[in-house]
């Protein structure tokens, strides 16, 4: 972007070195040269991509591609036995300095990957890559897989703890609501009870009214000693009603004759007469 905006109507050409030159002078690349070519063609600031560019720019290369200026950061680039591969470009007045963007250089990206190497290896093992594809030994593979299992257990425990906390929190809220409602209902019940059965309650008023109504409707009671309207039987008066004779009594008991009393001191003798004599 900086190189594109240096001059008006700039035609920006980007040279890309091959994998062979890059491996020789800089190091192993993550992306192949074809992948790097294709990535640059999708950058909106680039007008043209030159494949297999030389590591050190020559005069012939500059004339061939009609290059007027070379853009790069101003830090001396030590490589291929030279203190600065852009020294002759700077001396010719064809060099334009740009500012480096921190954190996006190749070295920075590789440092971030190497720093979290174990995390990336474990992630790829989980995603189905083999230890051979990741260039990981047998012991390290088992170690990483064990760490993955431990992390899964930790995550499960953490999830259960969060759910338990949420459940306990909800139960506390519901319990508090139930207690509040119970207190409200209790106060309401006590108030209604006192209103109904208290000293000045409706129940006592109803009882008083009922007593007055019963007193008004019931007759006065008879005074003591007054003759009753119905005849009463004296407990000691003999029962004058005739008692029917039992047939068994009539046949077994003989009639009792009248007793004769004689004058004198002699005892009276009762004479029984039998039937027919």
């Amino acid at each position: 972007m900086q190189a594109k905006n240096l001059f008006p109507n700039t035609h920006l050409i980007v040279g890309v070195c091959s994998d062979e030159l890059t491996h020789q002078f800089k190091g192993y690349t993550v992306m192949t040269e074809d992948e790097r070519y294709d990535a640059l063609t999708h950058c909106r600031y680039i007008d043209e991509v030159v494949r297999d560019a030389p590591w050190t720019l020559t005069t012939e290369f500059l004339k061939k591609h009609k290059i007027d200026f070379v853009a790069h950061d101003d830090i001396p680039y030590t490589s291929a036995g030279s203190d600065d591969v852009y020294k002759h470009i700077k001396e010719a007045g064809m060099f334009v300095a740009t500012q480096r963007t921190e954190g996006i250089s190749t070295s920075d990206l590789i440092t971030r990957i190497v720093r979290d190497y174990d995390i990336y290896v474990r992630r790829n093992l989980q995603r189905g890559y083999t230890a051979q594809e990741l260039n990981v030994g047998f012991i390290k593979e088992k170690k990483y897989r064990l760490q993955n299992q431990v992390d899964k257990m930790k995550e499960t425990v953490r999830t259960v703890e969060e759910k338990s906390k949420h459940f306990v929190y909800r139960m506390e809220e519901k319990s508090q609501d139930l207690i509040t409602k119970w207190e409200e209902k209790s106060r309401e019940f006590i108030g209604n009870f006192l209103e109904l059965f208290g000293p000045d309650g409706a129940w006592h008023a109803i009882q008083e009214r009922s007593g007055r109504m019963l007193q008004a409707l019931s007759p006065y009671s008879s005074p003591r000693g007054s003759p009753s309207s119905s005849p009463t039987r004296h407990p000691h008066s003999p029962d004058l009603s005739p008692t029917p004779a039992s047939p068994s009594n009539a046949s077994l008991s003989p009639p009792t004759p009248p007793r004769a009393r004689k004058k004198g001191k002699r005892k009276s003798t009762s004479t029984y007469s039998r039937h027919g004599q």
Side-chain angles (χ1 to χ4, degrees):
M1 185 184 65
Q2 294 180 50
K4 181 70 173 179
N5 296 326
L6 284 173
F7 307 100
N9 300 322
T10 299
H11 182 81
L12 185 61
I13 301 172
V14 177
V16 182
C17 300
S18 64
D19 285 346
E20 183 180 357
L21 287 177
T22 306
H23 296 167
Q24 180 182 353
F25 293 110
K26 190 171 184 179
Y28 191 77
T29 59
V30 177
M31 300 172 66
T32 65
E33 58 182 81
D34 291 332
E35 292 171 341
R36 290 185 283 122
Y37 295 150
D38 293 338
L40 289 173
T41 57
H42 294 285
C43 181
R44 60 179 176 171
Y45 302 109
I46 298 174
D47 298 308
E48 183 181 350
V49 177
V50 177
R51 294 171 174 259
D52 195 15
W55 194 259
T56 303
L57 298 176
T58 61
T59 305
E60 292 78 14
F61 181 82
L62 296 176
K63 290 181 179 180
K64 177 181 178 181
H65 295 281
K66 299 178 182 181
I67 297 173
D68 298 317
F69 296 95
V70 176
H72 199 272
D73 63 82
D74 200 20
I75 301 174
Y77 194 85
T78 303
S79 180
S82 173
D83 294 336
D84 188 3
V85 295
Y86 297 106
K87 183 178 180 181
H88 64 289
I89 303 294
K90 293 176 181 178
E91 292 175 352
M94 300 175 63
F95 186 83
V96 179
T98 57
Q99 300 297 321
R100 291 176 62 89
T101 304
E102 296 295 332
I104 64 169
S105 68
T106 307
S107 299
D108 292 335
L109 295 176
I110 292 175
T111 300
R112 287 159 60 183
I113 294 173
V114 172
R115 181 184 59 199
D116 300 326
Y117 169 79
D118 289 349
I119 296 176
Y120 294 128
V121 172
R122 289 166 55 187
R123 182 188 66 178
N124 285 358
L125 285 173
Q126 285 182 330
R127 294 182 177 180
Y129 289 90
T130 63
Q132 185 177 1
E133 290 174 331
L134 298 173
N135 195 24
V136 175
F138 177 79
I139 296 178
K140 280 192 175 181
E141 178 191 5
K142 300 303 179 185
K143 173 187 173 182
Y144 291 143
R145 294 192 182 278
L146 179 60
Q147 289 176 344
N148 289 337
Q149 295 296 328
V150 172
D151 289 345
K152 285 183 179 179
M153 292 179 63
K154 288 182 179 179
E155 185 65 25
T156 302
V157 172
R158 191 178 300 110
T159 303
V160 172
E161 288 180 352
E162 291 296 330
K163 290 183 178 180
S164 300
K165 290 179 181 178
H166 182 66
F167 176 76
V168 171
Y169 179 74
R170 290 182 59 189
M171 292 301 297
E172 288 179 352
E173 285 187 342
K174 290 185 177 180
S175 300
Q176 188 65 32
D177 292 341
L178 289 175
I179 291 174
T180 304
K181 290 181 181 179
W182 182 81
E183 291 177 349
E184 293 177 356
K185 293 296 182 182
S186 298
R187 286 193 291 267
E188 182 180 355
F189 175 79
I190 293 172
N192 294 335
F193 183 84
L194 292 176
E195 184 179 355
L196 182 62
F197 297 103
D200 299 329
W203 178 251
H204 288 277
I206 293 172
Q207 283 186 332
E208 290 179 359
R209 292 177 183 176
S210 301
R212 291 173 185 174
M213 292 178 64
L214 291 175
Q215 186 176 3
L217 295 175
S218 61
Y220 291 98
S221 59
S222 301
R224 292 183 179 180
S226 61
S228 177
S229 59
S230 59
T232 55
R233 181 181 298 173
H234 196 275
H236 299 286
S237 62
D239 191 2
L240 301 178
S241 59
T243 303
S246 172
S248 58
N249 292 335
S251 60
L252 295 177
S253 300
T256 304
R259 296 181 181 180
R261 179 176 293 180
K262 295 181 179 182
K263 294 181 179 181
K265 296 183 179 179
R266 295 182 63 181
K267 296 181 179 180
S268 60
T269 304
S270 299
T271 305
Y272 294 91
S273 61
R274 294 186 178 179
H275 185 69
Q277 292 182 356

